Amino acid sequence: MAEQAIKLGGKRKSIFIDKVKKLLPEGGNLNLCLTCGACSSGCPATGLENMDPRKFLRMAALGLDEELTSTPWIWMCTMCYRCVYACPMKIDIPALVYAARASWPREKRPKGLVGSCDMALRNMSRSAMGTPPEDFAFVVGDVLEEYREAQPEFKEMKAPIDKKGAHFFLNQNSREPVTEPDEMVPLWKILHLVGADWTYGSKGWAAENYCMFLADDDSWKKIIETSIDAAKELGCKVFLNTE
Amino acid sequence: MYQYYAKWIREGKLKVNSDWNKDLKVKFTVQDPCQIVRKSYGDVVADDLRYVVKSVVGEENFIDMTPNKSNNYCCGGGGGALQSGYKKQRLQYGMVKDKQIKATKADYCIAACHNCHSQIHELSKYYGGNYSVVHLWTLLCLSLGILGENERAYLGDDLKKVAVYGA
Ligand code: SF4
Ligand code: SF4
């Protein structure tokens, strides 16, 4: 359905798709498309901005680089990989989408994403909400205290931060400490019951990473490294991603 | 996380059971977070997730979505969509998920991923499905009898007063 909607312009540079192919193992199979449409028929973003994954790929193959790198559709695709899963040739369309995101000047990318990424870079928490480590520690301590007092079965419950040698390094989405601290408690209880030896890190405790979605590779890496380094420094064995 | 939940249940460290739901028969479905299922661990972890869910809500009270596991649809909250500002499109994207959930007729959708949780919660309100959207940790604690009344922000009125710890 999409093919006839593509208007062929004069210049066919195909620079963009070639660049992306070089970055991917097997070139992301980007030139193996059978135009079967399995990707598009199972993509919830099909139809948004008059775009769909097959059309996006065809446009890339036709060298319509300008259209490719200017459609806001790339911010509506969620990189869910269902198209790759459905594709008989396992063509990595989301990698192409990611590259298109990265081709936008940083200041032109969606403000919410830029803002969340910049927030995370502000301090060592790496929280998209900008919560500094001391605020996190305060909330955790405060909530823990309250529950230990109110619920006798849990008076020994712990929620350590920077505990050396703990087995698990657990991260935490910022929404809980900032807006609904009680929601942190059920997981603490579970960990308490099973006797898990775990810790948060004052550095890199925040689980979210909007720099990755922003396609800002350097910042993405910086955020991940903060958490990994924190876990290593404490000697933790398992990096446990929260729900 | 789900692998550990499943392991701890199998090892008997988490003594969950679904008795609380034997008579209530509240129905649950579950979202497969793309990042954890399709993009990382595949159906193995989707099976663990279902094992945990069935252990806490009762096998007969679990209704799967179609399609499911690695073949499930994205909720539309991933990839930065929650912060990218294209709200109208994000909700339109989520229509697929909303229809899937409604088709199960479940009262609750379990979303054990923060992104999915926010997005599906919004879908439920926006499209008027009014199903509740819960974290898995909430249900684990409910089934263990250790969920206090302040830890029930995402439970519907039907479960606000069920098996309250300390009550
Ligand atoms: S599913 Fe794969 S082969 Fe089929 S149209 Fe999409 S990209 Fe091409
Ligand atoms: S990764 Fe993007 S293009 Fe592929 S199915 Fe998901 S939303 Fe659609």
Side-chain angles (χ1 to χ4, degrees):
Chain A
M1 70 181 188
E3 252 67 31
Q4 61 270 41
I6 301 172
K7 288 198 202 71
L8 295 177
K11 36 188 184 331
R12 292 188 203 180
K13 290 174 303 223
S14 295
I15 298 168
F16 184 70
I17 195 170
D18 292 333
K19 256 200 277 179
V20 180
K21 269 195 237 165
K22 283 204 190 92
L23 296 174
L24 300 170
E26 314 290 330
N29 296 341
L30 291 178
N31 50 1
L32 298 182
C33 180
L34 313 167
T35 68
C36 67
C39 50
S40 297
S41 68
C43 166
T46 287
L48 300 176
E49 299 298 308
N50 199 20
M51 186 62 77
D52 62 77
R54 179 177 62 173
K55 181 171 174 183
F56 190 73
L57 180 69
R58 298 308 301 154
M59 287 171 70
L62 291 166
L64 303 173
D65 292 3
E66 208 178 295
E67 292 82 345
L68 212 63
T69 52
S70 63
T71 173
W73 182 79
I74 55 170
W75 304 103
M76 298 162 197
C77 153
T78 61
M79 311 263 175
C80 75
Y81 275 77
R82 195 174 188 280
C83 51
V84 186
Y85 186 80
C87 171
M89 308 307 289
K90 296 290 163 250
I91 296 176
D92 198 345
I93 295 173
L96 198 60
V97 170
Y98 185 88
R101 287 186 179 192
S103 77
W104 284 37
R106 197 177 190 277
E107 65 282 3
K108 290 260 168 62
R109 299 178 203 173
K111 281 194 190 61
L113 286 177
V114 175
S116 294
C117 174
D118 288 347
M119 270 295 185
L121 295 172
R122 276 209 334 212
N123 61 57
M124 292 306 276
S125 293
R126 301 307 183 211
S127 157
M129 296 171 103
T131 320
E134 47 291 7
D135 290 12
F136 176 63
F138 176 79
V139 176
V140 168
D142 200 44
V143 174
L144 180 68
E145 193 56 40
E146 186 189 319
Y147 276 84
R148 281 165 61 143
E149 272 172 30
Q151 304 188 353
E153 201 180 328
F154 295 97
K155 68 173 190 295
E156 304 290 330
M157 183 165 74
K158 297 189 180 75
I161 297 179
D162 294 337
K163 182 183 173 199
K164 284 229 177 277
H167 185 74
F168 295 108
F169 183 94
L170 177 72
N171 60 13
Q172 174 76 54
N173 192 290
S174 299
R175 194 175 79 194
E176 279 96 39
V178 177
T179 65
E180 42 185 28
D182 290 311
E183 284 292 314
M184 295 190 287
V185 179
L187 184 51
W188 295 352
K189 288 182 171 175
I190 292 167
L191 294 169
H192 174 71
L193 281 189
V194 301
D197 182 16
W198 69 280
T199 187
Y200 288 128
S202 58
K203 293 181 203 159
W205 57 266
E208 66 279 5
N209 188 343
Y210 280 99
C211 298
M212 166 173 79
F213 304 137
L214 185 64
D216 175 346
D217 288 352
D218 293 337
S219 306
W220 168 7
K221 191 160 165 245
K222 196 164 171 181
I223 291 199
I224 282 288
E225 275 173 358
T226 305
S227 299
I228 301 293
D229 289 349
K232 276 194 193 147
E233 212 177 293
L234 294 170
C236 299
K237 304 227 163 25
V238 179
F239 192 99
L240 195 55
N241 255 318
T242 184
E243 280 183 23
Chain B
M1 198 76 237
Y2 318 153
Q3 293 103 311
Y4 281 102
Y5 288 155
K7 179 170 177 274
W8 292 329
I9 292 174
R10 287 192 186 105
E11 289 172 358
K13 287 185 182 163
L14 284 178
K15 297 184 193 346
V16 295
N17 72 65
S18 56
D19 290 351
W20 62 273
N21 201 20
K22 218 186 244 157
D23 301 324
L24 291 171
K25 300 192 192 334
V26 180
K27 302 290 184 230
F28 293 81
T29 188
V30 71
Q31 164 67 345
D32 293 285
C34 308
Q35 188 62 41
I36 302 165
V37 177
R38 181 165 47 248
K39 293 168 75 171
S40 305
Y41 302 99
D43 285 351
V44 186
V45 73
D47 288 333
D48 269 349
L49 176 59
R50 282 163 180 73
Y51 169 74
V52 176
V53 170
K54 287 176 189 169
S55 307
V56 300
V57 306
E59 176 126 31
E60 68 284 7
N61 296 312
F62 170 71
I63 307 157
D64 220 335
M65 295 179 193
T66 321
N68 53 48
K69 301 184 186 172
S70 294
N71 201 28
N72 209 328
Y73 290 113
C74 172
C75 65
L82 291 175
Q83 298 283 2
S84 68
Y86 298 104
K87 182 174 166 178
K88 200 183 91 209
Q89 291 89 342
R90 169 166 61 79
L91 289 167
Q92 203 180 325
Y93 184 119
M95 208 162 73
V96 175
K97 179 57 56 193
D98 180 70
K99 282 190 179 143
Q100 265 184 300
I101 296 170
K102 282 178 181 156
T104 67
K105 297 201 170 67
D107 310 294
Y108 283 77
C109 177
I110 300 163
C113 152
H114 235 276
N115 264 297
C116 303
H117 186 276
S118 300
Q119 166 78 349
I120 300 175
H121 197 251
E122 197 173 334
L123 293 176
S124 165
K125 288 194 182 135
Y126 185 79
Y127 291 113
N130 292 320
Y131 40 84
S132 300
V133 187
V134 278
H135 298 287
L136 193 48
W137 60 54
T138 307
L139 294 175
L140 276 160
C141 286
L142 177 74
S143 81
L144 288 160
I146 56 169
L147 192 70
E149 61 174 333
N150 295 335
E151 300 153 59
R152 299 180 178 234
Y154 294 102
L155 290 181
D157 288 338
D158 55 341
L159 294 181
K160 287 271 194 245
K161 297 209 160 63
V162 173
V164 180
Y165 176 74

